[in-house]
Amino acid sequence: MQGCVLVRYGEIALKSDQTRKWWNKILLDNMKECLDKNNIPYSSIEVLLGRFIVYTDSSLEASNALKNVFGIKSLSPALKMEANYEAIKEKALELSKNRGKKFRVSARRITKEFSMTSNDVNETLGAYIKDQLDLEVSLLKYDFEIGIEFLEGYAYLFTERIEAFGGLPLGVQGEAICLVSSGIDSPVAAWLMMKRGCKVDLLHFKITEEGYKKYLKIKERLQKFSYGHEIKDYIIDGVPYLANTKKKLSENKKEKWVCIFCKRRFLQEAERICQEKGYLAIITGENLGQVASQTLKNLSLLDSTVKLPVLRPLLAYDKQEIVDIARIINTYEISKEKEPKCPFTPLYPMTAGSMEELETIERMLWD
Ligand code: ATP
Ligand code: MG
């Protein structure tokens, strides 16, 4: 018998052989990096059909760390043993002691060489444990579950299933740059794109010292999910441009436009970095209608600034949904820390700027 973690992965299983091999390799490397970075000893990792098996004596710690590796759907600290019913029966009985009254057995044959069907195992083993320990089988409301997966001649026994985030292995979808502030939204946007397999680097415009300090802490939290990629970041001092632009706009009674010019500047700088370093897209934390300036009209004005795709993974999320994710990824407590308001935000920002007016102002300002 051997201690291990049963790692279930999701969408990779749907891919062609060739893609699956490539993605599996990336996921495997990311898992190793995660275990190493968290100082969790393991002897090897086996790649099987739809499952990875991590051999380790620290299977609970390993599961909790690997939970943050994208591409993994769920994990169970498990015991690997010969697929022999008598042996399984005794081990399952031992695992069932002192865990509560109601239980169920959930067997699954991933490969089919074991002679009993999953249902046979559920019923026979369930009845045996019930009689031996005077327990009650309850399929819906149970205190504990005995899980068994049969795979390539072995049985894996477990009592816990830890949900992970799913998504795709980080690195299978290329590199993008995310505009990250110190607010709640943009760290979540970066995380969601990481979850879909992108290596994400960050671009922050420093406007206040407090905002910058929060940003640095946010970056650290995001790194805890970026196995397979050391996050690089780019910091630009936003004050000179904003101070100058706000002054010029105010002189021309166009102060309302400050935020649009500010965001356009962000995108232009992001695109310049993308072209220099080879990033494929720009990510922002913008959302439709969350603040007055995030209207469809304004977003289309912003898109016209650059040629590269601007990805907005939060576009259709409700605020609460974003906050829920921010809490899970531990950026929420940082983002919600008080900081001074952006000193350049006008009292009434433009909500529906037209392209014509934008072009007129641009000519007026920079001629
Ligand atoms: P966030 O919560 O990320 O601040 P928000 O909903 O408050 O987003 P805005 O403040 O209008 O929206 O900013 C829109 C987007 O512009 C942000 O989601 C982020 O991608 C980018 N952004 C805003 N401020 C900065 C900054 N200081 N540095 C880099 N990117 C920024
Ligand atoms: Mg903000």
Side-chain angles (χ1 to χ4, degrees):
M1 224 165 317
Q2 219 174 348
C4 61
V5 181
L6 193 56
V7 179
R8 304 177 188 86
Y9 54 83
E11 284 180 45
I12 306 180
L14 306 173
K15 298 289 158 189
S16 67
D17 271 2
Q18 210 181 2
T19 309
R20 202 169 60 226
K21 268 192 200 132
W22 166 41
W23 287 18
N24 270 345
K25 166 84 173 76
I26 293 182
L27 180 52
L28 184 66
D29 289 345
N30 294 353
M31 284 167 58
K32 286 179 181 167
E33 186 179 309
C34 169
L35 293 167
D36 291 342
K37 278 196 168 164
N38 289 284
N39 298 316
I40 296 168
Y42 66 98
S43 55
S44 62
I45 303 180
E46 205 176 356
V47 184
L48 301 175
L49 194 75
R51 301 284 183 273
F52 284 75
I53 314 291
V54 181
Y55 293 97
T56 172
D57 293 329
S58 316
S59 55
L60 186 60
E61 292 89 328
S63 304
N64 284 325
L66 289 169
K67 185 176 102 186
N68 293 341
V69 176
F70 294 126
I72 295 177
K73 226 170 93 192
S74 72
L75 312 104
S76 293
L79 278 173
K80 177 184 183 178
M81 54 195 297
E82 293 293 329
N84 167 307
Y85 181 71
E86 288 306 311
I88 292 170
K89 197 173 86 173
E90 291 321 311
K91 195 68 211 172
L93 182 66
E94 195 185 312
L95 288 175
S96 303
K97 286 179 183 158
N98 305 317
R99 286 185 182 266
K101 183 82 184 154
K102 295 183 178 179
F103 79 106
R104 73 174 198 182
V105 177
S106 303
R108 197 169 160 204
R109 290 190 305 169
I110 312 291
T111 54
K112 310 285 182 196
E113 60 288 311
F114 190 60
S115 57
M116 294 167 78
T117 66
S118 304
N119 264 344
D120 288 344
V121 176
N122 290 343
E123 283 171 17
T124 323
L125 184 58
Y128 175 72
I129 296 172
K130 170 176 172 284
D131 291 346
Q132 292 291 313
L133 300 177
D134 192 22
L135 301 180
E136 200 179 307
V137 173
S138 173
L139 298 185
L140 294 179
K141 275 189 123 185
Y142 46 88
D143 302 315
F144 70 96
E145 179 178 38
I146 296 291
I148 307 169
E149 289 192 6
F150 293 95
L151 185 54
E152 298 187 6
Y154 291 94
Y156 297 84
L157 264 65
F158 54 91
T159 53
E160 259 184 275
R161 186 185 290 264
I162 298 169
E163 292 303 320
F165 296 108
L168 305 179
L170 193 137
V172 303
Q173 289 297 335
E175 304 195 14
I177 196 161
C178 186
L179 289 166
V180 173
S181 67
S182 48
I184 294 171
D185 302 328
S186 42
V188 174
W191 185 84
L192 283 173
M193 294 305 294
M194 284 157 59
K195 175 161 132 61
R196 284 314 291 176
C198 292
K199 290 183 176 175
V200 176
D201 286 337
L202 314 179
L203 169 56
H204 177 75
F205 286 83
K206 192 168 157 184
I207 295 169
T208 66
E209 197 56 40
E210 291 84 349
Y212 175 60
K213 285 197 177 123
K214 284 169 65 178
Y215 159 78
L216 287 178
K217 289 193 257 178
I218 286 169
K219 178 190 159 196
E220 233 172 80
R221 298 286 160 98
L222 288 174
Q223 183 63 55
K224 296 207 184 314
F225 295 93
S226 193
Y227 294 112
H229 179 63
E230 194 65 34
I231 296 176
K232 283 193 277 301
D233 65 346
Y234 305 88
I235 310 296
I236 294 179
D237 181 1
V239 174
Y241 171 81
L242 279 170
N244 188 25
T245 306
K246 181 165 179 171
K247 184 166 160 282
K248 284 187 181 165
L249 287 169
S250 303
E251 284 163 5
N252 290 280
K253 304 226 169 342
K254 297 290 181 192
E255 207 183 325
K256 269 173 174 286
W257 282 81
V258 171
C259 296
I260 290 181
F261 277 90
C262 166
K263 300 281 147 54
R264 277 170 65 95
R265 178 69 168 203
F266 288 179
L267 292 176
Q268 284 159 347
E269 294 282 0
E271 188 172 58
R272 182 181 56 75
I273 296 172
C274 289
Q275 281 159 352
E276 216 171 277
K277 310 278 179 185
Y279 298 104
L280 299 174
I282 303 166
I283 303 160
T284 81
E286 284 157 324
N287 169 271
L288 198 55
Q290 190 189 96
V291 292
S293 59
Q294 291 174 3
T295 58
L296 260 193
K297 232 176 171 174
N298 278 1
L299 294 182
S300 67
L301 275 190
L302 294 182
D303 275 9
S304 71
T305 315
V306 287
K307 291 203 188 67
L308 277 179
V310 180
L311 308 178
R312 300 183 171 92
L314 300 181
L315 195 73
Y317 278 53
D318 289 351
K319 188 70 189 181
Q320 191 55 48
E321 294 172 309
I322 300 172
V323 166
D324 290 346
I325 299 178
R327 281 186 202 277
I328 292 171
I329 66 175
N330 293 319
T331 54
Y332 182 72
E333 318 91 77
I334 303 170
S335 298
K336 75 164 200 268
E337 283 169 22
K338 286 245 164 342
E339 67 178 291
K341 250 189 90 205
C342 171
F344 304 104
T345 307
L347 203 51
Y348 303 105
M350 173 59 77
T351 55
S354 74
M355 199 61 211
E356 293 74 31
E357 195 176 357
L358 181 107
E359 282 166 355
T360 314
I361 297 173
E362 248 175 358
R363 276 197 298 275
M364 182 173 82
L365 290 182
W366 316 121
D367 276 355

PDB file of all heavy atoms in Angstrom, residues 157-168:
ATOM      1  N   LEU A 157      -8.020   4.282  -2.718  1.00  0.00           N
ATOM      2  CA  LEU A 157      -9.053   4.514  -1.697  1.00  0.00           C
ATOM      3  C   LEU A 157      -8.894   5.904  -1.102  1.00  0.00           C
ATOM      4  O   LEU A 157      -7.769   6.308  -0.788  1.00  0.00           O
ATOM      5  CB  LEU A 157      -8.889   3.491  -0.558  1.00  0.00           C
ATOM      6  CG  LEU A 157      -9.768   2.236  -0.631  1.00  0.00           C
ATOM      7  CD1 LEU A 157      -9.376   1.425  -1.845  1.00  0.00           C
ATOM      8  CD2 LEU A 157      -9.639   1.431   0.644  1.00  0.00           C
ATOM      9  N   PHE A 158      -9.999   6.567  -0.905  1.00  0.00           N
ATOM     10  CA  PHE A 158      -9.907   7.916  -0.327  1.00  0.00           C
ATOM     11  C   PHE A 158     -11.204   8.285   0.385  1.00  0.00           C
ATOM     12  O   PHE A 158     -12.248   7.671   0.154  1.00  0.00           O
ATOM     13  CB  PHE A 158      -9.587   8.953  -1.411  1.00  0.00           C
ATOM     14  CG  PHE A 158     -10.536   8.933  -2.577  1.00  0.00           C
ATOM     15  CD1 PHE A 158     -11.677   9.729  -2.584  1.00  0.00           C
ATOM     16  CD2 PHE A 158     -10.305   8.105  -3.666  1.00  0.00           C
ATOM     17  CE1 PHE A 158     -12.561   9.700  -3.658  1.00  0.00           C
ATOM     18  CE2 PHE A 158     -11.185   8.067  -4.749  1.00  0.00           C
ATOM     19  CZ  PHE A 158     -12.311   8.872  -4.738  1.00  0.00           C
ATOM     20  N   THR A 159     -11.099   9.274   1.243  1.00  0.00           N
ATOM     21  CA  THR A 159     -12.297   9.735   1.954  1.00  0.00           C
ATOM     22  C   THR A 159     -12.555  11.217   1.706  1.00  0.00           C
ATOM     23  O   THR A 159     -13.523  11.766   2.201  1.00  0.00           O
ATOM     24  CB  THR A 159     -12.141   9.546   3.480  1.00  0.00           C
ATOM     25  OG1 THR A 159     -10.936  10.173   3.888  1.00  0.00           O
ATOM     26  CG2 THR A 159     -12.118   8.077   3.853  1.00  0.00           C
ATOM     27  N   GLU A 160     -11.659  11.850   0.978  1.00  0.00           N
ATOM     28  CA  GLU A 160     -11.829  13.275   0.756  1.00  0.00           C
ATOM     29  C   GLU A 160     -11.688  13.622  -0.702  1.00  0.00           C
ATOM     30  O   GLU A 160     -10.871  13.018  -1.409  1.00  0.00           O
ATOM     31  CB  GLU A 160     -10.731  14.039   1.505  1.00  0.00           C
ATOM     32  CG  GLU A 160     -11.202  14.637   2.800  1.00  0.00           C
ATOM     33  CD  GLU A 160     -10.094  15.445   3.415  1.00  0.00           C
ATOM     34  OE1 GLU A 160      -9.253  14.851   4.118  1.00  0.00           O
ATOM     35  OE2 GLU A 160     -10.068  16.646   3.144  1.00  0.00           O
ATOM     36  N   ARG A 161     -12.452  14.628  -1.105  1.00  0.00           N
ATOM     37  CA  ARG A 161     -12.316  15.134  -2.467  1.00  0.00           C
ATOM     38  C   ARG A 161     -12.171  16.645  -2.360  1.00  0.00           C
ATOM     39  O   ARG A 161     -13.072  17.333  -1.880  1.00  0.00           O
ATOM     40  CB  ARG A 161     -13.566  14.778  -3.266  1.00  0.00           C
ATOM     41  CG  ARG A 161     -13.511  15.109  -4.731  1.00  0.00           C
ATOM     42  CD  ARG A 161     -14.857  14.825  -5.358  1.00  0.00           C
ATOM     43  NE  ARG A 161     -15.119  13.406  -5.414  1.00  0.00           N
ATOM     44  CZ  ARG A 161     -14.888  12.652  -6.494  1.00  0.00           C
ATOM     45  NH1 ARG A 161     -14.422  13.183  -7.587  1.00  0.00           N
ATOM     46  NH2 ARG A 161     -15.150  11.365  -6.474  1.00  0.00           N
ATOM     47  N   ILE A 162     -11.018  17.145  -2.730  1.00  0.00           N
ATOM     48  CA  ILE A 162     -10.757  18.586  -2.626  1.00  0.00           C
ATOM     49  C   ILE A 162     -10.965  19.199  -4.003  1.00  0.00           C
ATOM     50  O   ILE A 162     -10.337  18.783  -4.972  1.00  0.00           O
ATOM     51  CB  ILE A 162      -9.308  18.820  -2.131  1.00  0.00           C
ATOM     52  CG1 ILE A 162      -9.151  18.217  -0.730  1.00  0.00           C
ATOM     53  CG2 ILE A 162      -8.948  20.303  -2.139  1.00  0.00           C
ATOM     54  CD1 ILE A 162      -7.725  18.148  -0.231  1.00  0.00           C
ATOM     55  N   GLU A 163     -11.882  20.150  -4.084  1.00  0.00           N
ATOM     56  CA  GLU A 163     -12.148  20.771  -5.385  1.00  0.00           C
ATOM     57  C   GLU A 163     -11.028  21.741  -5.735  1.00  0.00           C
ATOM     58  O   GLU A 163     -10.586  22.524  -4.897  1.00  0.00           O
ATOM     59  CB  GLU A 163     -13.481  21.538  -5.370  1.00  0.00           C
ATOM     60  CG  GLU A 163     -14.712  20.654  -5.248  1.00  0.00           C
ATOM     61  CD  GLU A 163     -14.834  19.600  -6.337  1.00  0.00           C
ATOM     62  OE1 GLU A 163     -14.523  19.906  -7.508  1.00  0.00           O
ATOM     63  OE2 GLU A 163     -15.218  18.447  -6.017  1.00  0.00           O
ATOM     64  N   ALA A 164     -10.565  21.703  -6.967  1.00  0.00           N
ATOM     65  CA  ALA A 164      -9.574  22.680  -7.431  1.00  0.00           C
ATOM     66  C   ALA A 164     -10.273  23.632  -8.397  1.00  0.00           C
ATOM     67  O   ALA A 164     -11.502  23.617  -8.480  1.00  0.00           O
ATOM     68  CB  ALA A 164      -8.412  21.948  -8.081  1.00  0.00           C
ATOM     69  N   PHE A 165      -9.513  24.441  -9.140  1.00  0.00           N
ATOM     70  CA  PHE A 165     -10.150  25.480  -9.939  1.00  0.00           C
ATOM     71  C   PHE A 165     -10.438  25.083 -11.382  1.00  0.00           C
ATOM     72  O   PHE A 165     -11.086  25.827 -12.106  1.00  0.00           O
ATOM     73  CB  PHE A 165      -9.293  26.750  -9.926  1.00  0.00           C
ATOM     74  CG  PHE A 165      -9.186  27.352  -8.554  1.00  0.00           C
ATOM     75  CD1 PHE A 165      -8.008  27.286  -7.839  1.00  0.00           C
ATOM     76  CD2 PHE A 165     -10.283  27.960  -7.972  1.00  0.00           C
ATOM     77  CE1 PHE A 165      -7.915  27.826  -6.568  1.00  0.00           C
ATOM     78  CE2 PHE A 165     -10.214  28.501  -6.702  1.00  0.00           C
ATOM     79  CZ  PHE A 165      -9.025  28.427  -5.993  1.00  0.00           C
ATOM     80  N   GLY A 166      -9.937  23.939 -11.813  1.00  0.00           N
ATOM     81  CA  GLY A 166     -10.149  23.569 -13.222  1.00  0.00           C
ATOM     82  C   GLY A 166      -9.324  24.460 -14.137  1.00  0.00           C
ATOM     83  O   GLY A 166      -8.210  24.846 -13.807  1.00  0.00           O
ATOM     84  N   GLY A 167      -9.903  24.824 -15.253  1.00  0.00           N
ATOM     85  CA  GLY A 167      -9.180  25.657 -16.208  1.00  0.00           C
ATOM     86  C   GLY A 167      -8.185  24.840 -17.018  1.00  0.00           C
ATOM     87  O   GLY A 167      -8.306  23.615 -17.122  1.00  0.00           O
ATOM     88  N   LEU A 168      -7.206  25.524 -17.595  1.00  0.00           N
ATOM     89  CA  LEU A 168      -6.203  24.872 -18.437  1.00  0.00           C
ATOM     90  C   LEU A 168      -4.826  25.075 -17.818  1.00  0.00           C
ATOM     91  O   LEU A 168      -4.602  26.060 -17.115  1.00  0.00           O
ATOM     92  CB  LEU A 168      -6.208  25.490 -19.835  1.00  0.00           C
ATOM     93  CG  LEU A 168      -7.551  25.506 -20.575  1.00  0.00           C
ATOM     94  CD1 LEU A 168      -7.389  26.175 -21.933  1.00  0.00           C
ATOM     95  CD2 LEU A 168      -8.096  24.099 -20.734  1.00  0.00           C
TER      96      LEU A 168
END
